[in-house]
Amino acid sequence: MGLVRGAALDDPPAIRRAGRELLSLALMDTRNSLLALLPALQATGDAALWRRVLQAGAWPEWWISRHVQRHRGEAADAATPRLPGLEPRLEHWLAGDGPPDAEALGAYLAGTLELTLELLASAPESDPGLHLYRQALRHEDRLVEGLREALREGAPPPRPERAPLRVPGRRWSLGTPPGEGFVPEAERGPEDVTVPDFEIDAQPVSWARFAEFVADGGYDDARLWSEAGRRWCVGSGRRAPAFVEQLAGGVVLQRGHGARARLEQAPAQQAAAHVTRHEAEAWCRWAGRRLPTAPEWALAAATQARLGFVWGDVHEWVAGRARYLGAFEDTAAPAGALDVPQPGHGLLCGASWATPTRWRHPGARRFAGPGDDTACSGFRSCAF
């Protein structure tokens, strides 16, 4: 039985339908993953990263233990008065007014987890009753993912170059329909679309392919950039994606963070990472190609894996704006939403090397600004 539960911890469909027992195990599992990062985070000397760990306790406190309508799930009134919290210094810590020491942080994290698990044990065994607990798991796993990305101690694997794939067009249902347990707000559908035949890269654009764009003066050619992209490029002074020290004659990246920072050579066939949408679009114009649409990406991920379509190395920029799908497009963000569309933001699909296995779902979507390079984001291209 323990092996079954252990396997379920890494099973995306099982986690989305998780009941009280599996959720309890998963919440303890993600907390253990977070605690395992604390020595490395403290060693960086970056107080901002240390404060981010507080969100592992602050989020479930705000939405669960302090919220009297937690049983209503996403229908809970976000403006309702909250119960008192466990730690009176929390607001000062979050504001940067003296981050907690390791002992105080540990006590706060232990107290908030204990209270969350205690309330979960008596929560209604229903989708509304468990929604905020499932969202708390997703929030902390996203926090772990973001801290892994910030520490920069991992990377996508190198992959041999494969030929693009020709994908037959068809009618496709984008997003996950209701009634399948927990569905992250950005994935909710369905939205039925017709996808014509298209050609798409088998894997994300590698450092080797991106280096060709840089060597050809891609950052200096205004014709390759949108107006907003050019403003970003000039304002940032960029000549390569974030954390890149060298592309010509070998890929050299910054690894580690803060006091642990160092330079390392990376494989040229590794997926380019920490790429903004502006850079992805400029590369595509230079190559005479384009970003895939969200339906094209989703269709390829669902049907082309056996033919060599690889995803999950980096979050991938796709064409289109940040929005909810179908009938949800014009709705307000539900209580506790982690992905809220913002004007001018774009869409990322899939997962990255830093994503916990239980959230590596082919329908995964998230939103980010076009100049955002904090996530392990990359891209692939399609033919016109």
Side-chain angles (χ1 to χ4, degrees):
M1 188 68 175
L3 289 175
V4 173
R5 289 199 296 266
L9 285 173
D10 288 333
D11 182 358
I15 283 295
R16 291 178 177 222
R17 298 189 299 269
R20 290 193 297 253
E21 182 182 8
L22 181 55
L23 266 178
S24 294
L25 293 171
L27 286 166
M28 289 186 283
D29 180 67
T30 191
R31 182 57 54 85
N32 287 335
S33 297
L34 179 68
L35 295 176
L37 295 176
L38 292 189
L41 291 169
Q42 194 167 29
T44 66
D46 189 330
L49 285 183
W50 193 246
R51 284 196 302 272
R52 282 173 64 183
V53 178
L54 288 166
Q55 291 294 337
W59 198 96
E61 261 209 303
W62 184 253
W63 286 107
I64 297 175
S65 61
R66 296 180 59 191
H67 203 305
V68 296
Q69 295 185 12
R70 55 184 169 268
H71 62 283
R72 297 184 63 197
E74 63 181 34
D77 182 358
T80 193
R82 295 322 204 257
L83 299 170
L86 289 178
E87 177 50 72
R89 296 169 291 177
L90 178 62
E91 294 302 322
H92 295 289
W93 288 345
L94 290 172
D97 184 14
D101 58 31
E103 184 177 354
L105 178 60
Y108 176 66
L109 292 179
T112 52
L113 177 61
E114 182 179 358
L115 187 51
T116 299
L117 294 177
E118 180 182 322
L119 293 169
L120 173 58
S122 58
E125 193 81 67
S126 65
D127 285 341
L130 295 176
H131 177 82
L132 289 173
Y133 298 92
R134 292 166 174 168
Q135 190 74 297
L137 171 65
R138 179 168 171 254
H139 176 270
E140 191 157 341
D141 275 334
R142 284 273 287 265
L143 178 63
V144 167
E145 177 181 355
L147 291 171
R148 286 174 178 164
E149 290 170 333
L151 288 170
R152 298 195 298 279
E153 297 291 353
R159 298 191 184 277
E161 197 71 37
R162 302 191 62 157
L165 301 168
R166 190 72 187 174
V167 183
R170 57 180 288 184
R171 190 75 174 162
W172 187 250
S173 186
L174 190 63
T176 303
E180 297 191 16
F182 174 78
V183 181
E185 53 277 351
E187 298 175 32
R188 296 179 186 182
E191 181 174 284
D192 293 332
V193 294
T194 298
V195 183
D197 295 355
F198 63 99
E199 179 198 283
I200 189 168
D201 292 337
Q203 66 247 23
V205 169
S206 65
W207 285 122
R209 296 177 70 194
F210 199 90
E212 295 175 6
F213 162 77
V214 177
D216 199 36
Y219 280 87
D220 298 313
D221 189 343
R223 297 170 300 174
L224 302 177
W225 299 80
S226 66
E227 183 178 343
R230 191 62 190 164
R231 287 197 303 269
W232 171 86
C233 188
V234 171
S236 65
R238 278 287 177 79
R239 289 297 179 270
F243 315 119
V244 174
E245 289 294 320
Q246 174 183 304
L247 283 175
V251 184
V252 179
L253 306 177
Q254 297 175 25
R255 295 293 192 204
H257 181 91
R260 299 167 64 97
R262 61 197 183 277
L263 298 180
E264 286 186 2
Q265 188 157 358
Q269 297 306 319
Q270 189 180 87
H274 296 284
V275 178
T276 67
R277 176 159 168 166
H278 293 314
E279 291 166 309
E281 291 175 334
W283 185 96
C284 286
R285 292 189 187 98
W286 168 81
R289 295 174 69 81
R290 61 175 177 84
L291 289 176
T293 65
E296 286 171 337
W297 194 98
L299 175 58
T303 64
Q304 302 297 304
R306 63 183 180 83
L307 297 177
F309 188 91
V310 175
W311 66 274
D313 291 346
V314 289
H315 296 284
E316 299 185 37
W317 292 107
V318 296
R321 59 186 174 87
R323 66 180 181 87
Y324 291 148
L325 294 170
F328 297 97
E329 182 171 0
D330 297 322
T331 62
L338 301 187
D339 291 300
V340 181
Q342 300 292 334
H345 281 201
L347 176 63
L348 291 153
C349 289
S352 84
W353 65 267
T355 306
T357 304
R358 54 179 154 257
W359 299 109
R360 296 173 68 85
H361 190 284
R365 295 158 51 97
R366 64 173 66 183
F367 311 131
D372 189 342
D373 57 19
T374 55
C376 188
S377 51
F379 68 101
R380 71 183 73 214
S381 68
C382 283
F384 279 106

